[in-house]
């Protein structure tokens, strides 16, 4: 695996696919040996032998926690998709075409003046529907609808490949309903998590204020308490690694 991650780093002009400085490239050889460290015996430390040159010279960007060839591929893909979308937003587009829809959607996202003017009105119906929940059935309907409106509920679901029979799809159910990444953020008493929970409660209060809720500061602890109760029933990260 280590050698595969080092592969494909050497490039030549003949390998260019398309034009421009940001064109996609193909590797000119399978392994870039400059990323290895031949001073280390592979039998002593194969990882350092295969990747030592890269480990000794690479400086991790301050906005990342990990990096490698596949991270770089993802970043380049995102940059190229953005260029494509921007070109569709700027260039001529046939009315009703996919290109026109993509361009208009992107421009609407950038139109902050209109977004500020509309405020909460585009989601007023969703907020009213949540406020009108008065029964277990209505709550269950809201849980299901959350997947359609990109919100969260204690129960999430979706279609996925059956891991025991990859020739078919099945409905997958999973626990959700929390805003922090996972259970430990709510239950761990380490100072790091205590500080995160404090900042998260302040964030919730601000979001409730923006949503027009009265007494947002008083409601925020209740929201955190509810999410903590939900999170306490979640599997731990260790348990999630053995779903069978």
């Amino acid at each position: 695996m280590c050698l595969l991650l080092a592969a494909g780093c050497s490039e030549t002009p003949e390998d260019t696919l398309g034009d421009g400085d940001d064109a996609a490239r193909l590797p000119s050889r399978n392994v870039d040996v400059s990323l290895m460290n031949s001073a280390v015996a592979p039998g002593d430390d194969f990882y350092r032998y295969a990747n030592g040159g890269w480990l000794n010279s690479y400086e991790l960007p301050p906005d990342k926690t990990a990096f490698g060839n596949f991270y770089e591929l993802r970043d380049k893909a995102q940059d190229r998709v953005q260029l494509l979308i921007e070109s569709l937003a700027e260039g001529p587009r046939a009315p009703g075409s996919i290109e026109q829809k993509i361009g208009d959607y992107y421009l609407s996202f950038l139109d902050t003046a209109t977004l500020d003017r509309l405020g909460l009105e585009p989601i007023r119906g969703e907020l009213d529907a949540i406020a009108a929940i008065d029964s277990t059935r209505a709550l269950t309907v809201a849980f299901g609808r959350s997947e359609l409106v990109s919100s969260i509920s204690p129960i999430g679901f979706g279609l996925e490949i059956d891991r025991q029979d990859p020739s078919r799809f099945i409905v997958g159910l999973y626990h959700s309903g929390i805003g922090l990444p996972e259970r430990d953020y709510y239950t761990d008493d380490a100072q790091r998590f205590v500080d995160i929970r404090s900042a998260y409660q302040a964030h919730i209060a601000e979001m409730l204020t923006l949503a027009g809720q009265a007494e947002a500061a008083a409601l925020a602890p209740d929201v955190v308490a509810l999410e903590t109760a939900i999170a306490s029933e979640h599997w731990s990260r260790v348990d999630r690694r053995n779903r069978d």
Side-chain angles (χ1 to χ4, degrees):
M1 181 188 71
C2 303
L3 289 174
L4 288 174
L5 292 178
C9 295
S10 178
E11 302 168 346
T12 65
E14 291 76 16
D15 299 323
T16 300
L17 297 178
D19 299 322
D21 295 335
D22 195 41
R25 300 173 185 274
L26 291 173
S28 62
R29 61 175 183 261
N30 292 328
V31 176
D32 186 346
V33 295
S34 69
L35 302 180
M36 301 171 65
N37 185 355
S38 58
V40 177
D44 293 339
D45 188 341
F46 187 79
Y47 182 79
R48 182 68 59 174
Y49 164 77
N51 302 287
W54 184 81
L55 292 170
N56 292 336
S57 61
Y58 182 74
E59 183 176 345
L60 187 68
D63 63 332
K64 298 184 182 299
T65 59
F67 198 72
N69 279 7
F70 291 110
Y71 288 91
E72 184 177 9
L73 286 173
R74 182 190 63 187
D75 291 345
K76 286 184 176 180
Q78 289 179 333
D79 290 341
R80 289 164 185 163
V81 168
Q82 182 172 347
L83 288 174
L84 286 172
I85 293 175
E86 289 175 346
S87 68
L88 293 178
E90 297 171 358
R93 298 159 289 156
S97 65
I98 294 295
E99 291 80 4
Q100 183 241 324
K101 294 176 181 178
I102 293 174
D104 287 353
Y105 187 70
Y106 179 68
L107 291 174
S108 70
F109 180 78
L110 298 181
D111 186 4
T112 55
T114 298
L115 295 175
D116 290 341
R117 177 173 55 81
L118 293 175
L120 291 175
E121 290 312 307
I123 62 169
R124 181 66 63 190
E126 297 298 334
L127 295 177
D128 291 343
I130 292 172
I133 294 173
D134 59 359
S135 66
T136 301
R137 177 176 176 78
L139 183 63
T140 305
V141 171
F143 286 174
R145 182 164 174 73
S146 69
E147 293 290 335
L148 302 178
V149 297
S150 299
S151 63
I152 59 175
S153 75
I155 301 173
F157 62 91
L159 290 176
E160 60 185 45
I161 295 175
D162 185 348
R163 296 189 304 126
Q164 297 182 348
D165 182 4
S167 66
R168 67 173 190 167
F169 287 89
I170 60 174
V171 175
L173 297 175
Y174 53 90
H175 51 220
S176 183
I178 58 176
L180 294 175
E182 50 106 8
R183 187 179 72 172
D184 287 352
Y185 282 76
Y186 294 89
T187 60
D188 196 308
D189 291 329
Q191 189 60 45
R192 168 173 174 257
F193 293 107
V194 172
D195 293 341
I196 288 174
R197 287 194 290 269
S198 177
Y200 182 51
Q201 182 169 305
H203 167 73
I204 290 174
E206 182 177 359
M207 293 299 101
L208 290 172
T209 299
L210 294 173
Q213 290 289 328
E215 300 180 355
L219 290 173
D222 293 339
V223 174
V224 174
L226 175 60
E227 291 190 19
T228 300
I230 294 171
S232 65
E233 300 297 329
H234 282 197
W235 287 355
S236 69
R237 181 174 294 180
V238 174
D239 290 335
R240 293 203 308 272
R241 291 175 180 169
N242 184 22
R243 290 181 293 171
D244 293 334

